[in-house]
Amino acid sequence: MKTDIRDIGEFGLIEQIKKQFARHQSPSTIKGIGDDAAVIASDKTILISTDMLLENIHFDLTYTTLQYLGYKAVAVNISDIAAMNGKATQITTNIGISNRFSLESVQALYEGIKQACDTYKVDLIGGDTTSSKAGLVISVTVVGEIEKHKITYRSGAKKNNIICVTGDLGAAYMGLHILNREKVAFLANPHTQPDISAHTYIVQRQLKPEARVDIIHDLSTLGIVPTSMIDISDGLASELLHICNQSGVGVRIYEEHIPIANNTLEAAVLFQIEPITAALNGGEDYELLFTIDQKDYEKVKKHADIRFIGYITENTDAFLVSKENQYVPIQAQGWKHF
């Protein structure tokens, strides 16, 4: 049996959410849900970022569970704070829901949000709920903090800096291809079962990405403040060009050093896509792209999850050096919002 949200009303829904998030995890949270405004206090510099997810634009409920969607909505915002070298502390969530969503559906969404809050040790301190005639809308705002001298912008890259990426690239993009394939099969025959057993890793990278807060912790422990940084949401090529434009520099990256997981390679072969294309233009990996001074290389060279893919140049051109030693201009072909 499903409960119509109209049966409990907006305030009843808020009370249900409030119960899930009664315990505070961040020491800077003074007052969370339940008053006209939340109260936070910090002796550090405050970071704020926000992101909106729209049904059928950013997610498809044909293959995305509400729990995973809630988790992802938080994780992608936490990633923005990590990309500034900061630590997320609080979030607010605004949701617009149509009458096809029951109370149980909203609870499932907030279960995912709660799991992400527990994972990243942040507090949900407020938000808003409203009706929507255009499907599900989720907007998350995240608050973070950082010591002022450790803030890392996109604009700090310098000549001869080393370009680094975390994890592996292209997985989320190929995972989306698998999900879309299975959706097409399901629409053609609703009795078919999805066939993703051989592609669990890349599907998970699409549905439930993780913000690389672990890397921020590791860099801090090693005494490294990157000279520039950005998270890879729109594709490696796009993010590299953002750093180039903001810093007034160029880049050289090497195809042979770009990390691509075996599962991604196999899926790329299946869909007849060049793996390097998936890595450069796929997006939604939410790995970190950053630059470091050469003097910091020795500190981080043995890190198991950081790859060195190239270097910053003084000229403002951007090239990929192929395995055949050809210089290919880097172009932004990732996600475009408009």
Side-chain angles (χ1 to χ4, degrees), residues 165-171 174 201-202 205 236 254-268 273-280 285 307 309 323:
V165 294
T166 63
D168 58 83
L169 305 179
M174 296 316 307
Y201 174 72
I202 60 176
R205 288 292 300 268
L236 175 61
Y254 294 84
E255 180 183 2
E256 61 184 335
H257 295 314
I258 294 176
I260 303 174
N262 287 335
N263 305 87
T264 303
L265 291 170
E266 292 165 1
I273 295 172
E274 286 291 336
I276 190 63
T277 299
L280 286 173
D285 290 306
R307 303 290 180 269
I309 65 169
K323 293 177 181 177

Side-chain angles (χ1 to χ4, degrees), residues 29-45:
T29 302
I30 306 301
K31 177 68 176 180
I33 301 172
D35 221 306
D36 291 301
V39 181
I40 59 178
S42 178
D43 57 358
K44 297 181 180 179
T45 299

Side-chain angles (χ1 to χ4, degrees), residues 122-157:
V122 300
D123 294 323
L124 175 65
I125 58 172
D128 193 19
T129 59
T130 187
S131 60
S132 167
K133 294 182 179 179
L136 179 59
V137 179
I138 308 171
S139 177
V140 175
T141 296
V142 60
V143 179
E145 59 185 24
I146 187 173
E147 296 174 47
K148 189 174 182 179
H149 69 280
K150 292 184 179 180
I151 299 174
T152 303
Y153 299 100
R154 301 174 182 181
S155 57

Side-chain angles (χ1 to χ4, degrees), residues 11 15 25 37 60 66 95 138 188 220 283 288 310 313 338:
F11 295 112
E15 282 302 313
Q25 304 191 77
D60 187 333
L66 288 165
I95 63 170
I138 308 171
S220 177
L288 292 175
T313 65
F338 297 100

